[in-house]
Amino acid sequence: MTEGMQQTSSDNTTVRAFQVGFPEAELSELRRRVNATRWPERETVTDDSQGVPLATMQELARYWGTDYDWRKCEAKLNALPNFITEIDGLDIHFIHVRSRHEDALPLIVTHGWPGSIIEQLKIIEPLTNPTAHGASGADAFHLVIPSLPGHGFSAKPATTGWDPSRIARAWVVLMKRLGYSRFVAQGGDWGAAVTQQMGQQAAPELLGIHSNMPGTAPPEVNGYLRGEPPPSGLSEEERRAYDQLSAFYAKHVAYAQIMSTRPQTLYGLADSPIDLAAFAIDHGDGTGQPGLIAQILDGRLPGDLTRDDILDNITLYWLTNTGVSAARLYWENKAAFFDAKDISIPFAISVFPDELYQAPRSWAERAYPHNLIHYNRLDRGGHFAAWEQPQLFSAEMRASFRSLRK
């Protein structure tokens, strides 16, 4: 990986050009480790209730250790303007693509776990060059896609304190450093937590936010955290959302519990590429665990998201050795994901059918009665919406922020 100076206003506000490049020896070592995996016996069930099936992982390993080509992903990344800048003592990596439409609206998009900037690559062109995708130039965006601290090419915090609130403040610094005096923000998963913190902090430059995993649950339904029966009086849509949240916290959330309590114990994420891959794949979505990702790996779900895309993302975690450093964000976080937040700036929400839960319109309107500027339920797409449905996701961004353009 190489860097070069791009501009300087003072030592700690320098924006440095960045290029991705890993030695061939590291790629050879990755393949060697994949091919040398010591496998356990197969699961004792015929479904995925015990985790990612052995057959799925062995077929993925066969491809990863032989035919997969990281250099294709590296070339795609290097075809984009990559930069690094220091914010609050930490180097932050980001992609910055300006639209040719000068009145484009600046947008910062934040990934989650087990994602990365790889998730957003397919939305760059539709958002920055909308006329080439059947949309209006008036809906163009200048796009900033940062790597979360401890993820990808951003530095790994050496001390505690980098929680979503601190990251949110850093993102405002980043956008202002890039010369943007007005901008909007978007996020799902950890990106949702960071973006909603930005909404709560309400920097004067931030015009509005969008989330595809919004916090909308009212206080009286927080029994889902404890597996309690749903309260009376819920509509059918609200009852479904309650049941989805209850199921998530009853069983699905195990991966988050180990990261939020004992992230340093996950040494296998740094030592075994197959452990890293299986742990990431088992994140799942609203369809279950491993969810849509496993369907794609098994060839049962054709679409925009491919096996190579998934391996690009996992390989980035491996080459940067960020499995454990990324896990620490769970340890740092103290806020609830799905509860309604104290946000008064304009808030847009998109509900994808295979997300961990489908936020009911009634909860969204109650949580944000004066500032909900967009609510839409989509007919396809899941937890990794920008990755899975880039065109649909891009259309949501245009519709969500259209009213904020001046």
Side-chain angles (χ1 to χ4, degrees):
M1 295 176 284
T2 58
E3 299 179 22
M5 295 300 182
Q6 196 257 350
Q7 65 182 49
T8 304
S9 56
S10 67
D11 286 347
N12 64 349
T13 62
T14 300
V15 177
R16 302 156 355 232
F18 176 81
Q19 189 169 39
V20 181
F22 290 96
E24 187 60 35
E26 293 191 29
L27 302 180
S28 296
E29 174 63 7
L30 167 59
R31 288 189 288 269
R32 186 196 69 77
R33 286 177 180 248
V34 169
N35 293 326
T37 299
R38 184 173 75 161
W39 296 99
E41 66 282 355
R42 76 174 301 278
E43 59 278 5
T44 57
V45 293
T46 57
D47 55 21
D48 55 17
S49 60
Q50 293 182 352
V52 186
L54 179 65
T56 298
M57 291 309 303
Q58 288 186 325
E59 175 55 27
L60 182 68
R62 183 205 62 76
Y63 178 70
W64 199 9
T66 55
D67 299 331
Y68 168 74
D69 184 4
W70 161 258
R71 296 299 186 197
K72 292 180 180 178
C73 178
E74 199 168 82
K76 284 190 289 188
L77 290 172
N78 284 331
L80 298 166
N82 286 262
F83 304 96
I84 286 180
T85 192
E86 182 185 322
I87 301 175
D88 198 7
L90 196 72
D91 274 354
I92 298 296
H93 163 263
F94 61 98
I95 294 171
H96 183 200
V97 182
R98 286 186 58 86
S99 173
R100 65 182 179 85
H101 301 278
E102 284 304 313
D103 58 350
L105 181 63
L107 166 64
I108 184 168
V109 179
T110 309
H111 68 84
W113 184 92
S116 67
I117 55 168
I118 303 293
E119 283 183 69
Q120 279 84 36
L121 296 184
K122 293 180 182 179
I123 64 171
I124 293 175
E125 180 66 16
L127 291 178
T128 60
N129 188 18
T131 54
H133 295 266
S136 168
D139 287 328
F141 293 93
H142 298 311
L143 202 54
V144 178
I145 305 172
S147 296
L148 288 166
H151 295 65
F153 303 114
S154 284
K156 303 170 186 178
T159 58
T160 60
W162 277 97
D163 61 1
S165 179
R166 187 172 179 181
I167 298 169
R169 291 191 296 271
W171 280 190
V172 173
V173 172
L174 174 60
M175 294 300 279
K176 291 168 67 175
R177 185 171 297 175
L178 295 175
Y180 297 128
S181 58
R182 52 194 297 276
F183 56 87
V184 292
Q186 194 285 329
D189 194 85
W190 278 123
V194 171
T195 300
Q196 289 173 161
Q197 280 289 332
M198 294 175 74
Q200 289 177 267
Q201 294 166 9
E205 297 84 3
L206 183 62
L207 301 179
I209 64 172
H210 173 278
S211 178
N212 50 291
M213 199 184 83
T216 65
E220 66 269 18
V221 305
N222 68 8
Y224 68 79
L225 292 166
R226 301 176 295 278
E228 297 175 358
S232 60
L234 297 183
S235 68
E236 182 179 345
E237 183 184 42
E238 293 168 343
R239 172 62 187 266
R240 182 167 184 266
Y242 187 93
D243 290 344
Q244 289 172 324
L245 292 172
S246 294
F248 176 78
Y249 279 96
K251 214 169 182 184
H252 193 146
V253 78
Y255 70 90
Q257 290 174 334
I258 183 65
M259 290 192 286
S260 62
T261 57
R262 311 293 290 174
Q264 191 64 32
T265 298
L266 296 170
Y267 291 98
L269 303 184
D271 186 63
S272 167
I274 291 301
D275 186 38
L276 176 68
F279 195 67
I281 291 167
D282 204 40
H283 177 284
D285 50 41
T287 68
Q289 288 176 278
L292 298 179
I293 296 295
Q295 295 180 43
I296 292 163
L297 293 177
D298 292 341
R300 294 180 283 126
L301 188 67
D304 286 285
L305 186 57
T306 68
R307 178 174 61 176
D308 273 4
D309 293 331
I310 295 165
L311 279 177
D312 289 344
N313 181 64
I314 297 169
T315 303
L316 176 61
Y317 270 86
W318 176 261
L319 293 173
T320 56
N321 192 15
T322 48
V324 172
S325 58
R328 291 195 190 102
L329 183 52
Y330 284 82
W331 186 91
E332 291 284 356
N333 180 59
K334 302 299 183 289
F337 264 106
F338 303 112
D339 291 353
K341 305 295 188 293
D342 182 18
I343 297 171
S344 58
I345 69 170
F347 195 174
I349 290 172
S350 299
V351 178
F352 289 86
D354 294 321
E355 181 53 273
L356 297 175
Y357 92 116
Q358 282 74 62
R361 178 185 287 272
S362 58
W363 287 1
E365 291 178 341
R366 176 179 168 183
Y368 312 107
H370 306 298
N371 57 316
L372 185 66
I373 58 170
H374 176 86
Y375 177 97
N376 190 31
R377 296 179 73 92
L378 289 306
D379 63 357
R380 60 192 184 280
H383 186 69
F384 305 98
W387 217 14
E388 299 167 25
Q389 301 292 338
Q391 296 297 332
L392 197 61
F393 182 91
S394 297
E396 281 297 288
M397 293 304 96
R398 299 181 196 118
S400 293
F401 293 123
R402 191 168 289 138
S403 66
L404 301 183
R405 296 175 184 268
K406 301 295 184 187

